[in-house]
Every structure is written in structure tokens, then in C-alpha cells.
């Protein structure tokens, strides 16, 4: 009996002394790497032990998650989420977009940055996607495991390796120790798409440039008995002259041989269709394909792997690892890359509480990301044993001083215009932005000089001041950009000086309090019967105004939006003096002078509220009320009446029927998304004036018509393509009771103007 017990003990010990060690190797492959999750799931469900894991690029991310104690269910939830798609494309979650910091809308198509700190030079982008959001997410995901392993990747849930391309030394770098967050970030930095990362003075990009399947690293570092490989990367195809990504793959990615370098090995190759490397919209399907491919290989794996480990045993080990992770809380923020005053500017964004959780830290970080004075941020969480908390270490680079912006509008209608702006940003303890812009066109010309001072403390606010000149020239001509010496039917000249304060209203809103001084000069003929030598009537209005505006805006486009909401409440007071001088064709016999004052209020609500597949519905509502009185003539009164303009084209037309002192307007929008950047739109609106403004029996002065007698319909349908520089639209529109009610128009660019003196 004793001999049997001794023999049993010897067999038991021999088993554990010589227990099999299994390494899993995950290839690069972009979005197809979601299949790795299915492979890991199948291995666990079939009780295949995973003792080591190594990966490159997306394989480094999935392998890093596994080594950090994540379950495959958690990985799937992450990679199939809308947030993950945003991280991959650089888009920021709407709830973190800080609208208070967004620039004013203008007609710009493109911008160029110039750094004038020492030598004048253009800043050429080195990457297509902003990595600030992704870097924070990586920090959030891997910081606790990084703190627990203390820089030794063998001390993770399972020992881990990943590959980065050391661009400085032109070689592959095997990350086995150091900062886990930075190592994984280096391994997945696809060239020209994401910003390269610097570690210990060396610049790194995607590890697939040198080794896209690190089976040799797993063999050399871990010396396993069995290697199981998961390959989702395709062999570099012949570069396509019309596909930039295929060109980049052939330029940057070395040919990799997907061989598993040991006799006891299995290579799993999920059949993933060709796809864009950053298109994670099919992740759920790829996970399934990876799972099925791995399950099919289980009999072959079992020819080599005798040992088994139950899911309960894996989870117990995983729980033991995760329970030792320190909580992700911060008690300090440190800033590098800036001078002392600029560091204080950044620190003012963050909570001054002693200990701050990840949610508040994330919110403050994203607010800083949307600051136009900041170019890049790299966050790192450094664990401190003494306090049991993390320090948020931010490497921040300020934006270039000078920004040049260009754009405009090209149209089949005579409203073409060019736009240019130059702005200078000065950043110290506070941020100051100085800007000057101009619009030049036959219909609209404008110039603006402005300044904004941003104070980033708690609460945040900004002071602004600007001088604006606008001219709208409503006319009938086919000339484009060139002056026509014939007198125009209506000319509106608008000069105003504004100053005020802007404060945020949570993340998506802002409140503006401002005052203005203005001079408005209108030139017009009372009818169309005039000659080149005739002099128009002139109305001069010198006034001051104050207003308050609350705005909440999540629209995804500055024009032709197809997602989000706009909610605006505005109220103000205007007081001034009118002086009207009759021209040579005017029925007025003498000059007219009057004092005017009025209050006004406006409510605007636009919402794209329903989505059924590729079909979206939206609505637009507007209410306007003022107690303004009549000016010295009907035409002058109509020029000062507020217009209902729910469609961009309407702001280029003078349509008296859509102008009133009090009105309500509403409409519906139907959109069919042919592609993400190409939609078919149909819109219809109804404008209901409280009372029409009509010409009195004298043929000179304005009067009110009956209450609620008239209403006016407007509709439009067309195609809109959202190009990288601006929208391209072909529209057919109908304007009720307009001289030419049907209009077929082409637009490339934005129908946007500088602020008016009075809305």
C-alpha cells in the first residue's frame, strides 16, 4: 500500500514539474483582429490553458487586455461598442464635446497652421486621426494592470510580450518590461494614421512594420511546449493606385512569414473578408468567425495539449489578479511640455479636490482636448505606493500661434464669395485669440476684427470683443465677383461693435451676454423703375443693443446636419434713431427722423429625432416676437423685420412674405443616408406671421394686415455630399408667393456670414 501511495505521489509531482506550457500568438491585422477574441473564447471554453500571450498591433491590444485580466465577454463589449469606433476614428463622444470652446461658424474649407515662435514655418500634420482620446482610453484600460505588475510584464495575469517598430534605430523592439500602456500604444500606431509615440527618447510606430506575427519572440522569451497562433493579417497585396491604405501597407509593412516555429504548434486562420483596417463595425461577425475557426482546430490542438484548465479555475485566477489592482483615482495632476504660466492654464481645467475619480478626470481631460489653444496631449497615470493613488501626468503641446483659414461658396446663383481668416493665439496663464477675416463677393462682403480672452478656471468663462462690417447686396445679375455699376435694388450696410462674456452651460451649451453699438445704412429703391443716374433712398439707423442668449448645440455639421439637436433662446433690447433721406425716385417728399426702441425674443429648436435604418426624420421650430414699430417707409420696415430662414438658401434672398415682427415657423425634414457622407434630403416648412406687414394705401408707409390671415409654405429637395472640405448640394426649392417660386441650385461650400448687428 505504501508503495502505491509513493508511486502516485511521484506521478503527481512529475505532472506538475513537467506541466505543459502553452503560448498564444496574435497577429496584427487592424479591425480583423476582433477575431482574436473569438479564438481566446474558444480556447477557454475547451479548457485549453493559456500560459503566455504575445501580439502585434491589434494583437497587442487584445493580448494586452487578456494579460490585464479582461474576460473575452468584456473585450467583446468594448470592441463592439460605438465608443471604440469613435476612438479608432478620432471622433469624440458627444457628451464630452465642449461646445463653449468651439469656434464660431464660418465659410472655411481648410486651415493651415504656422508656428511663429522662432522660425516661420508651416506645421504639416504627421497623422490623420487625433490620438488624444485613444491615449486616454488606453491609460484608463491598462493603468491598473501596469501599476500591479510594476513594469514587469511577466507579473501580469499571464506573461505578455508585444512588438513595436523602433523608427529611431530602424529595428523591431520587444516590449517585455516598462510601461504597459505605452508599449501597447507603440505596437498599434499605424503609420501616418496615428501619431507616433516616444519612449525613452526613441520614436515608435506599428510593430507590424518589422514583425506582424511574433511567434519567434514567444518561443525565445517563454520557451513554451506548444504555440497556438491566430493569424488575421493578409499577405500584402499588390498596391492599388486608388487605395491609399494599400499603398501604405506596402510601403511600411515588411513581409511577414506566418509560420509557428516549433513542432508542437497550431495556426488558426479565421476566414475574414477584406475590409478597411479601421472599420470596426463588423467586429461581432469577426469574433464569431474567430471562434468557429478555433473550435474547428481544437482536435488538432488536443493532439499536443494534454492539460486542461476549467473556466472556473481561470476565473478564480483572474479574480485574484484583478482584486489586487489599485483603484483608478487621482490625487495630483502634473503638466510637462509647457512653461510655468502655460502649465497653470492647463491645471485650471482639472478639479482641485484631494482625490478625483476617473469619470470627473475624463470629463476635465476632454474639455482640455477641445481647447483650440492645445495641439496634443499625452496622458499617463503614474501609481504612487505612498498614497495608493495615481498621478495624472500630461505631456502637452500648445497649438501653433497662427492659423490660416480659407473657404467660400461656389454657386449656380449669383452669390459666389471667397473667405479668408488669419488668427493669432497667445497662451500663458490665460489664452488670447486675435483674428481678422474677410468675405468678398458680389452678394455679400464683410470684414471682422475680433479678440477673445479665455479664463480656464472653475467656473470657466471668456470675454470677447469684435468690430464687424457687413454688406448684403440683393440684386438681379449674372456677374460673379465683379462689380456691376448699375444701382442695386437693395443694399444693407451693417457696422457694429460688440463686447460680452460667454460662459459654458454644461458640455453642450453656452450662455452669451453682450452689448453692441451699431450703424445700419440701407440703400434701396421703392420700385424697379430707376436708371443708372438715379439716387436710392437711404435709411440710417444708429443704435445700441443688449442681448442674452442660451444655446445648446449637438448638430454634427455646421450646415446640412443630419444628426443632433439645436436649442436656442435669445432675448434683447434695441434703441436707436432712424434718419431716412429720400432719393430721386422716392415718393417721400422730405427726410424722416424717428426714435425706435423694442424688445425681442426668439426660440429655435432643431432636432433629428428618429432613425430607421438609413432613414432619418427631423423637425425645425422657430418662434419670434418683437414690439418694434414701423420705419419711415415700407421697404425700410421690411429690411428691419426679422426673416424666417430655416434653409441656407433663404439667407441669400430678400423675400418680404417671410419677414415679420412676430411669427411662428415649423417644418419636417426627411433624410435618406445613401452613404455616411451622402444623403438625399426633403424639407417642408410653414411660416405663420401674427400679422403681415403690408404697404399702406399711400404706397409709401407700412401697415399691419389682419391677424393670422396669411401663411407661407416653403419646400426643398436635393442631394448633399459632405466632402472633406465642405458640402456639395444640388437642390430644387419652392418659395410660396415669391416672384420666381421655383429654383434649381448648385452650391459648393457654406452659406454662412459674420454676425449681424441685430438678429
Amino acid at each position: 500500500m505504501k508503495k502505491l501511495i509513493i508511486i502516485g505521489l511521484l506521478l503527481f509531482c512529475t505532472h506538475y514539474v513537467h506541466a505543459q506550457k502553452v503560448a498564444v500568438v496574435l497577429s496584427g491585422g487592424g479591425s480583423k483582429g476582433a477575431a482574436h477574441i473569438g479564438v481566446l473564447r474558444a480556447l477557454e471554453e475547451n479548457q485549453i490553458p493559456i500560459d503566455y500571450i504575445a501580439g502585434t498591433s491589434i494583437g497587442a491590444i487584445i493580448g494586452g487586455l487578456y494579460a490585464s485580466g479582461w474576460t473575452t465577454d468584456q473585450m467583446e463589449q468594448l470592441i463592439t461598442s460605438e465608443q471604440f469606433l469613435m476612438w479608432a476614428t478620432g471622433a469624440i463622444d458627444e457628451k464630452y464635446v465642449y461646445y463653449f470652446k468651439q469656434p464660431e461658424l464660418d465659410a472655411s474649407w481648410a486651415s493651415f497652421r504656422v508656428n511663429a515662435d522662432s522660425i516661420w514655418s508651416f506645421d504639416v500634420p504627421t497623422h490623420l486621426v487625433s490620438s488624444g482620446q485613444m491615449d486616454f482610453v488606453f491609460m484608463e484600460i491598462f493603468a491598473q494592470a501596469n501599476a500591479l505588475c510594476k513594469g514587469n510584464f511577466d507579473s501580469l495575469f499571464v506573461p505578455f510580450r508585444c512588438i513595436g517598430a523602433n523608427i529611431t534605430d530602424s529595428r523591431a523592439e520587444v516590449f517585455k518590461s516598462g510601461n504597459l500602456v505605452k508599449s501597447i500604444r507603440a505596437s498599434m500606431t499605424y503609420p501616418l494614421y496615428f501619431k507616433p509615440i516616444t519612449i525613452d527618447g526613441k520614436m515608435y510606430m506599428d510593430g507590424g512594420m518589422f514583425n506582424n506575427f511574433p511567434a519567434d519572440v514567444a518561443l525565445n522569451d517563454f520557451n513554451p511546449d506548444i504555440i497556438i497562433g491566430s493569424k488575421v493579417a493578409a499577405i500584402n497585396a499588390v498596391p492599388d493606385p486608388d487605395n491609399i491604405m494599400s499603398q501604405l501597407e506596402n510601403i511600411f509593412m515588411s513581409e511577414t512569414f506566418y509560420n509557428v516555429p516549433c513542432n508542437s504548434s497550431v495556426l488558426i486562420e479565421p476566414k475574414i473578408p477584406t475590409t478597411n483596417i479601421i472599420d470596426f463595425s463588423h467586429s461581432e461577425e469577426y469574433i464569431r468567425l474567430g471562434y468557429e475557426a478555433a473550435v474547428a482546430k481544437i482536435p488538432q490542438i488536443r493532439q499536443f495539449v494534454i492539460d486542461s484548465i476549467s473556466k472556473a479555475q481561470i476565473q478564480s485566477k483572474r479574480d485574484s489578479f484583478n482584486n489586487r489592482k489599485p483603484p483608478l483615482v487621482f490625487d495630483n495632476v502634473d503638466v510637462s511640455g509647457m512653461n510655468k504660466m502655460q502649465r497653470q492654464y492647463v491645471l485650471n481645467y482639472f478639479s482641485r479636490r484631494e482625490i478625483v475619480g476617473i469619470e470627473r478626470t475624463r470629463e476635465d481631460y476632454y474639455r482640455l482636448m477641445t481647447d483650440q489653444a492645445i495641439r496634443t496631449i499625452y496622458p499617463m497615470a503614474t501609481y504612487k505606493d505612498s498614497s495608493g493613488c495615481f498621478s495624472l501626468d500630461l505631456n502637452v503641446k500648445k497649438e501653433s500661434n497662427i492659423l490660416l483659414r480659407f473657404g467660400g461658396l461656389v454657386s449656380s446663383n449669383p452669390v459666389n464669395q471667397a473667405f479668408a481668416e488669419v488668427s493669432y493665439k497667445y497662451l500663458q496663464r490665460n489664452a488670447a485669440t486675435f483674428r481678422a477675416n474677410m468675405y468678398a463677393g458680389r452678394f455679400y462682403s464683410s470684414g471682422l476684427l475680433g479678440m477673445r480672452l479665455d479664463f480656464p478656471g472653475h467656473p470657466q468663462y471668456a470675454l470677447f470683443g469684435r468690430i464687424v462690417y457687413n454688406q448684403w447686396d440683393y440684386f438681379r445679375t449674372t456677374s460673379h465677383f465683379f462689380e456691376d455699376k448699375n444701382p442695386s435694388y437693395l443694399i444693407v450696410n451693417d457696422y457694429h461693435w460688440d463686447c460680452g462674456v460667454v460662459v459654458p452651460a454644461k458640455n453642450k451649451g453656452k450662455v452669451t451676454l453682450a452689448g453692441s453699438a451699431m450703424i445700419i445704412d440701407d440703400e434701396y429703391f421703392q420700385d424697379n423703375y430707376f436708371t443708372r443716374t438715379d439716387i436710392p433712398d437711404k435709411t440710417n439707423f444708429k443704435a445700441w443693443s443688449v442681448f442674452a442668449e442660451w444655446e445648446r448645440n449637438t448638430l454634427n455639421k455646421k450646415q446640412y446636419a443630419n444628426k443632433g439637436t439645436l436649442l436656442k433662446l435669445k432675448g434683447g433690447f434695441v434703441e436707436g434713431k432712424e434718419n431716412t433721406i429720400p432719393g430721386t425716385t422716392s415718393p417721400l417728399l422730405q427726410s424722416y427722423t424717428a426714435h425706435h426702441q423694442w424688445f425681442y425674443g426668439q426660440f429655435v429648436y432643431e432636432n433629428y429625432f428618429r432613425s430607421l435604418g438609413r432613414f432619418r426624420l427631423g423637425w425645425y421650430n422657430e418662434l419670434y416676437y418683437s414690439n418694434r414699430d414701423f420705419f419711415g417707409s415700407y421697404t425700410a420696415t421690411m429690411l428691419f423685420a426679422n426673416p424666417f430662414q430655416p434653409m441656407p438658401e433663404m439667407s441669400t434672398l430678400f423675400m418680404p412674405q417671410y419677414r415679420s415682427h412676430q411669427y411662428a415657423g415649423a417644418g419636417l425634414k426627411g433624410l435618406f443616408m445613401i452613404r455616411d457622407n451622402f444623403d438625399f434630403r426633403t424639407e417642408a416648412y410653414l411660416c405663420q406671421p401674427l400679422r403681415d406687414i403690408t404697404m399702406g394705401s399711400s404706397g409709401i408707409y407700412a401697415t399691419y394686415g389682419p391677424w393670422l390671415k396669411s401663411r407661407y409654405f416653403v419646400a426643398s429637395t436635393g442631394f448633399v455630399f459632405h466632402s472633406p472640405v465642405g458640402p456639395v448640394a444640388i437642390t430644387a426649392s419652392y418659395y410660396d408667393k415669391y416672384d420666381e417660386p421655383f429654383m434649381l441650385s448648385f452650391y459648393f461650400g457654406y452659406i454662412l456670414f459674420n454676425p449681424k448687428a441685430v438678429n
Side-chain angles (χ1 to χ4, degrees):
M1 185 66 181
K2 290 182 179 180
K3 289 181 180 181
L4 291 175
I5 294 174
I6 292 171
I7 292 171
L9 288 172
L10 287 172
L11 291 173
F12 180 81
C13 293
T14 300
H15 172 78
Y16 278 93
V17 168
H18 300 287
Q20 292 177 309
K21 296 297 182 183
V22 179
V24 173
V25 179
L26 309 177
S27 76
S31 59
K32 293 186 290 185
H36 294 322
I37 298 173
V39 170
L40 295 175
R41 175 177 291 158
L43 296 178
E44 286 195 347
E45 287 184 359
N46 287 275
Q47 301 187 9
I48 305 296
I50 301 174
D51 301 293
Y52 313 103
I53 197 162
T56 297
S57 196
I58 186 65
I61 297 175
I62 303 302
L65 289 171
Y66 191 87
S68 297
W70 282 53
T71 66
T72 54
D73 289 344
Q74 290 172 323
M75 294 182 210
E76 179 175 14
Q77 185 178 2
L78 173 71
I79 206 168
T80 58
S81 67
E82 185 177 346
Q83 288 78 10
F84 192 88
L85 187 60
M86 289 180 178
W87 304 334
T89 57
I92 298 179
D93 193 327
E94 283 183 3
K95 68 179 181 180
Y96 295 119
V97 172
Y98 203 26
Y99 183 64
F100 165 70
K101 287 290 186 179
Q102 299 304 302
E104 292 185 9
L105 300 182
D106 58 41
S108 61
W109 296 350
S111 62
F112 304 91
R113 299 194 179 276
V114 181
N115 199 328
D117 278 346
S118 54
I119 300 175
W120 285 71
S121 61
F122 282 94
D123 282 341
V124 179
T126 60
H127 51 285
L128 299 176
V129 171
S130 172
S131 59
Q133 181 177 208
M134 181 182 64
D135 288 335
F136 187 90
V137 171
F138 273 37
M139 180 199 75
E140 185 177 346
I141 289 174
F142 296 113
Q144 293 165 284
N146 182 63
L148 185 57
C149 77
K150 299 185 183 298
N152 180 5
F153 297 174
D154 288 339
S155 299
L156 291 166
F157 171 59
V158 296
F160 170 68
R161 298 290 185 270
C162 65
I163 310 299
N166 184 331
I167 303 303
T168 306
D169 298 332
S170 297
R171 62 181 176 84
E173 188 83 45
V174 178
F175 291 107
K176 60 180 68 176
S177 62
N179 187 288
L180 179 65
V181 185
K182 286 187 173 182
S183 300
I184 295 173
R185 169 69 165 81
S187 185
M188 54 70 57
T189 303
Y190 197 83
L192 300 185
Y193 196 82
F194 297 114
K195 182 183 177 181
I197 186 172
T198 300
I199 303 175
D200 297 331
K202 309 289 186 180
M203 190 174 79
Y204 289 89
M205 288 187 181
D206 195 298
M209 294 175 66
F210 290 106
N211 187 347
N212 205 34
F213 186 66
D216 56 331
V217 173
L219 180 64
N220 295 333
D221 279 27
F222 301 137
N223 193 29
D225 298 295
I226 300 99
I227 294 179
I228 300 172
S230 176
K231 170 186 172 286
V232 296
I235 297 174
N236 291 351
V238 176
D240 183 347
D242 297 321
N243 187 330
I244 185 63
M245 299 311 294
S246 72
Q247 297 171 35
L248 291 177
E249 286 179 4
N250 280 270
I251 292 172
F252 294 111
M253 301 301 177
S254 300
E255 189 67 47
T256 297
F257 297 98
Y258 297 92
N259 299 322
V260 186
C262 71
N263 294 327
S264 303
S265 62
V266 177
L267 182 63
I268 301 169
E269 299 183 76
K271 303 301 181 183
I272 310 294
T274 302
T275 187
N276 190 303
I277 62 168
I278 59 163
D279 182 8
F280 286 89
S281 60
H282 304 288
S283 293
E284 191 171 347
E285 177 190 355
Y286 296 167
I287 292 171
R288 177 183 59 80
L289 293 174
Y291 178 84
E292 291 173 354
V295 169
K297 289 285 187 176
I298 292 300
Q300 185 179 346
I301 292 172
R302 278 301 180 190
Q303 292 179 12
F304 304 110
V305 180
I306 301 172
D307 295 346
S308 296
I309 182 170
S310 68
K311 291 188 67 176
Q313 289 174 301
I314 296 172
Q315 192 57 44
S316 176
K317 178 184 174 184
R318 184 179 284 121
D319 290 343
S320 176
F321 177 82
N322 288 330
N323 290 337
R324 291 186 289 121
K325 290 179 180 177
L328 190 56
V329 294
F330 300 86
D331 63 357
N332 181 59
V333 179
D334 190 35
V335 179
S336 61
M338 313 185 87
N339 65 37
K340 182 178 179 181
M341 299 296 285
Q342 293 166 347
R343 286 199 297 271
Q344 189 58 50
Y345 177 85
V346 172
L347 289 172
N348 283 337
Y349 268 94
F350 292 88
S351 173
R352 299 179 185 275
R353 300 177 190 170
E354 291 185 4
I355 298 179
V356 182
I358 187 61
E359 183 62 38
R360 177 58 188 272
T361 302
R362 185 190 305 118
E363 181 178 334
D364 292 343
Y365 176 86
Y366 283 129
R367 287 187 176 186
L368 178 62
M369 263 189 66
T370 58
D371 192 313
Q372 301 297 308
I374 302 301
R375 185 173 191 178
T376 61
I377 316 170
Y378 185 78
M380 188 166 63
T382 304
Y383 184 67
K384 298 177 293 184
D385 290 315
S386 58
S387 65
C389 297
F390 288 84
S391 172
L392 180 62
D393 299 330
L394 303 173
N395 184 275
V396 183
K397 183 178 180 181
K398 73 180 184 68
E399 191 51 272
S400 303
N401 306 82
I402 297 175
L403 177 65
L404 306 177
R405 297 154 68 87
F406 302 96
L409 177 67
V410 178
S411 175
S412 59
N413 298 327
V415 294
N416 296 276
Q417 64 189 28
F419 168 82
E421 179 177 278
V422 56
S423 62
Y424 178 83
K425 194 172 293 293
Y426 179 76
L427 178 63
Q428 288 298 323
R429 191 182 188 92
N430 302 308
T433 304
F434 306 88
R435 66 190 182 106
N437 73 30
M438 63 169 289
Y439 290 80
R442 182 64 179 87
F443 164 69
Y444 175 69
S445 299
S446 179
L448 179 149
L449 293 174
M451 180 186 73
R452 172 168 164 149
L453 295 174
D454 280 278
F455 300 86
H458 291 275
Q460 286 190 310
Y461 65 97
L463 303 177
F464 71 90
R466 64 191 174 211
I467 302 172
V468 184
Y469 164 68
N470 293 309
Q471 183 186 82
W472 287 269
D473 193 343
Y474 299 93
F475 65 102
R476 295 181 183 275
T477 182
T478 57
S479 63
H480 299 261
F481 288 100
F482 302 105
E483 289 292 335
D484 183 354
K485 299 305 181 182
N486 287 324
S488 299
Y489 173 51
L490 295 171
I491 298 178
V492 177
N493 294 288
D494 170 336
Y495 312 80
H496 58 100
W497 301 261
D498 310 329
C499 62
V501 59
V502 186
V503 297
K506 296 188 176 180
N507 280 18
K508 302 176 185 178
K510 64 180 180 180
V511 175
T512 304
L513 304 173
S516 300
M518 70 190 76
I519 299 174
I520 299 177
D521 286 320
D522 295 340
E523 301 179 19
Y524 51 90
F525 290 92
Q526 300 283 358
D527 54 44
N528 291 330
Y529 302 103
F530 55 86
T531 67
R532 185 180 296 272
T533 59
D534 283 325
I535 299 174
D537 292 11
K538 297 181 179 180
T539 296
N540 174 272
F541 184 59
K542 296 180 179 178
W544 63 273
S545 73
V546 292
F547 72 85
E549 180 182 73
W550 174 80
E551 182 178 1
R552 182 183 185 274
N553 192 335
T554 63
L555 297 179
N556 64 336
K557 310 285 184 185
K558 60 182 179 180
Q559 204 155 75
Y560 303 111
N562 51 40
K563 184 180 179 182
T565 63
L566 168 66
L567 181 60
K568 182 166 68 174
L569 290 169
K570 184 174 184 179
F573 173 78
V574 182
E575 182 175 22
K577 183 179 180 181
E578 173 200 357
N579 184 27
T580 295
I581 301 174
T584 55
T585 65
S586 176
L588 290 171
L589 301 178
Q590 59 185 6
S591 298
Y592 176 85
T593 301
H595 178 266
H596 300 279
Q597 64 178 36
W598 68 85
F599 291 93
Y600 68 90
Q602 184 181 33
F603 167 80
V604 176
Y605 180 45
E606 181 177 2
N607 183 14
Y608 295 89
F609 60 90
R610 182 139 187 185
S611 180
L612 299 171
R614 290 192 169 272
F615 182 73
R616 292 180 183 175
L617 281 176
W619 64 25
Y620 179 91
N621 299 278
E622 182 178 347
L623 298 173
Y624 182 84
Y625 182 88
S626 74
N627 64 343
R628 73 181 70 181
D629 53 0
F630 298 128
F631 275 64
S633 68
Y634 167 77
T635 303
T637 299
M638 295 309 300
L639 284 169
F640 279 90
N642 204 66
F644 175 67
Q645 298 172 337
M647 301 189 311
E649 184 177 72
M650 296 181 74
S651 62
T652 68
L653 304 171
F654 183 77
M655 296 184 287
Q657 70 272 34
Y658 297 105
R659 288 174 173 256
S660 181
H661 292 162
Q662 308 93 19
Y663 63 81
L668 286 174
K669 307 183 183 190
L671 289 80
F672 181 76
M673 309 297 294
I674 300 171
R675 297 186 64 179
D676 289 343
N677 60 352
F678 185 41
D679 53 61
F680 174 74
R681 310 168 67 92
T682 298
E683 308 173 46
Y685 304 91
L686 186 68
C687 178
Q688 174 64 71
L690 190 62
R691 289 183 291 177
D692 275 330
I693 300 173
T694 62
M695 187 177 291
S697 59
S698 65
I700 302 174
Y701 304 109
T703 187
Y704 282 126
W707 292 77
L708 301 175
K709 179 181 179 181
S710 302
R711 57 204 54 85
Y712 304 97
F713 178 72
V714 57
S716 177
T717 187
F719 296 91
V720 178
F721 171 65
H722 300 278
S723 77
V725 294
V728 181
I730 298 176
T731 62
S733 304
Y734 171 78
Y735 299 107
D736 194 16
K737 298 181 177 63
Y738 188 51
D739 293 341
E740 297 179 1
F742 294 98
M743 292 185 65
L744 180 63
S745 306
F746 167 82
Y747 296 100
F748 171 43
Y750 298 98
I751 308 175
L752 292 170
F753 312 123
N754 277 327
K756 295 182 178 181
V758 178
N759 186 12

